[in-house]
Structure formats: C-alpha cells, structure tokens
C-alpha cells in the first residue's frame, strides 16, 4: 500500500478513524478537497450527521467527485452517517437529502430512536474471526438489501453491515470501542 488511507474530514468523528489507522500502523490523512481523492488508497466516510456531511460536501465541492470516485471503484468504508451517505435509498431523510450512493440497499435513519437509545453489542461479522465490539449511536438500520451482501446482523436479524464490490457499510461506530478489526478487514479485503 503506497498511498495513505483517506478519511473524509468535514464533520463527525474523523479524528477517531485517523487514530484507529494509527493504532494499526497504517498512514491515514484527512480529506477535504477533491484533489486529495487521487492521493488516497481508500476513503472512510465517518459517523456524525449525514445531513451536515452532505451539505458540507456540496460547499467544499467534493460531493460529485466523491460520488464519482466511489462509482469508479475507490475502496470506501462508511460508518453510521457514512453508511447513510453510501446508501442508494434512505428512509427518514430530510427534504432533498442527498447521498453519494453505491450500496444497493435502503437505510433507515435513526432507526433505534434518539440518543438515549444508543447501546453497545458484540457482533458476529463475516470475515472477522471473533465477536466485534460495536457502539450504536443514533444508528441507522439497513432495512432492505438488494445488490449487496449482508456481513453482520443483530441477534434479532436486523442488518447492520453490508458490502458490495469496493464498498463496506456498517451501522455502528467501530472506532470508539478500541476494537480495530473492521478497519483491519477494510484494509485487508478492500484496500489490499
Ligand atoms: N443519526 C445520524 C444521521 O442520520 C447518524 C448518527 C451517527 O453517525 N452516529 O446522520
């Protein structure tokens, strides 16, 4: 891997993702400009607030370049709000809310209710050989999976992780529990 991994650094917990890659000994940089997209080996879209990330991406003129780069095959990993940004269809969006798309799924925003409904869980995850510690924070749920593969579900069967071609999308925050195994999977299987 010659280029660093990029983390979209407009809003949300991009710093925690940069730290996760640092723990794994992998170079990572914040991305705020379209010109930086050709200088990264992959892109993380972090958790935060999808409406804000979308608006800031327009203001910073990176919205179309990111959508095009994802479509062109840039390895991309969306967590929570980042998953929402990578879904082709969303439920519970604000009027006119846009996504980059790429994952042929429907994602329902704030599917667990409000902030007080945040929780942690240990998940089985296809491609990871041990339970993953996951923090769900005003998390979305993947309510319909069409062209993507399911990678993880809650015990009740609700889908919380999918992948499709160059894209990995998860409902939860892996970067706040100190469990870096999903970042490791992204590097191993998608960035290569
Ligand atoms: N509820 C947020 C949204 O809709 C996502 C929450 C998160 O990223 N932790 O964008």
């Amino acid at each position: 891997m010659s280029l660093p991994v990029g983390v979209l650094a407009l809003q949300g917990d991009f710093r925690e993702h940069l730290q996760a890659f640092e723990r794994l000994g992998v170079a990572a940089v914040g991305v705020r400009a379209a010109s930086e997209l050709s200088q990264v080996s992959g892109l993380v879209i972090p958790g935060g607030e999808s409406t804000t990330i979308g608006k800031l991406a327009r203001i910073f003129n990176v919205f179309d370049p990111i959508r095009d780069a994802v479509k062109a095959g840039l390895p991309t990993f969306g967590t929570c709000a980042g998953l929402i940004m990578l879904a082709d269809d969303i439920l519970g969006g604000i009027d006119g809310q846009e996504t980059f798309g790429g994952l042929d799924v429907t994602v329902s925003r704030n599917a667990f209710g409000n902030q007080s409904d945040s929780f942690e869980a240990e998940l089985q995850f296809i491609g990871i050989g041990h339970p993953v510690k996951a923090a769900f924070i005003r998390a979305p749920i993947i309510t319909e999976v069409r062209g993507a593969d399911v990678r993880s579900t809650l015990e009740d069967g609700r889908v919380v992780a999918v992948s499709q071609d160059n894209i990995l999308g998860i409902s939860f925050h892996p970067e706040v529990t100190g469990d870096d195994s999903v970042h490791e999977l992204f590097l191993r299987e998608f960035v290569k």
Side-chain angles (χ1 to χ4, degrees), residues 11-13 46-53 79-85 92-93 97 108-111 113 115 118 135-140 171-173 175:
Q11 190 266 341
D13 57 353
E49 180 54 48
S50 55
T51 54
T52 309
I53 293 173
T79 70
C80 206
L83 162 71
I84 297 168
M85 292 305 300
Q97 184 170 350
S108 177
R109 291 182 68 217
N110 302 321
Q115 197 79 37
S118 298
F136 290 82
I137 305 168
R138 294 198 308 119
S171 298
F172 53 92
H173 289 259
E175 72 288 359

Side-chain angles (χ1 to χ4, degrees), residues 109-114 117 119 136 138-141 154 158 160 171:
R109 291 182 68 217
N110 302 321
F112 295 100
N114 59 28
D117 294 311
F119 61 98
F136 290 82
R138 294 198 308 119
I141 278 285
L154 292 171
R158 284 183 289 178
V160 293
S171 298

Side-chain angles (χ1 to χ4, degrees), residues 82-90 99-107:
L83 162 71
I84 297 168
M85 292 305 300
L86 291 169
D88 284 346
D89 292 301
I90 58 173
T99 69
F100 303 130
L103 289 171
D104 186 13
V105 298
T106 301
V107 169

Side-chain angles (χ1 to χ4, degrees), residues 5-170:
V5 180
V7 179
L8 185 63
L10 299 176
Q11 190 266 341
D13 57 353
F14 53 89
R15 291 174 200 84
E16 287 80 357
H17 283 282
L18 292 169
Q19 287 160 5
F21 288 116
E22 197 173 303
R23 285 194 295 273
L24 291 169
V26 171
V29 292
V31 167
R32 291 186 188 82
S35 61
E36 292 163 341
L37 287 169
S38 58
Q39 292 156 35
V40 294
S41 57
L43 183 66
V44 174
I45 319 271
E49 180 54 48
S50 55
T51 54
T52 309
I53 293 173
K55 281 181 195 156
L56 288 174
R58 283 281 174 218
I59 291 167
F60 280 70
N61 291 318
V62 291
F63 195 100
D64 293 342
I66 290 175
R67 190 187 50 205
D68 295 348
V70 174
K71 204 175 278 173
L74 180 69
T76 306
F77 175 23
T79 70
C80 206
L83 162 71
I84 297 168
M85 292 305 300
L86 291 169
D88 284 346
D89 292 301
I90 58 173
L91 295 173
I94 60 166
D95 267 0
Q97 184 170 350
E98 298 181 284
T99 69
F100 303 130
L103 289 171
D104 186 13
V105 298
T106 301
V107 169
S108 177
R109 291 182 68 217
N110 302 321
F112 295 100
N114 59 28
Q115 197 79 37
S116 60
D117 294 311
S118 298
F119 61 98
E120 289 199 12
E122 298 226 325
L123 303 171
Q124 302 297 324
F125 201 111
I126 292 173
I128 299 174
H130 55 83
V132 174
K133 262 192 225 145
F136 290 82
I137 305 168
R138 294 198 308 119
I141 278 285
I142 302 154
T143 50
E144 195 184 321
V145 180
R146 294 175 297 269
D149 294 316
V150 174
R151 303 295 292 249
S152 184
T153 65
L154 292 171
E155 275 179 10
D156 63 10
R158 284 183 289 178
V159 178
V160 293
V162 290
S163 62
Q164 184 176 344
D165 303 323
N166 54 310
I167 310 172
L168 176 65
I170 66 175

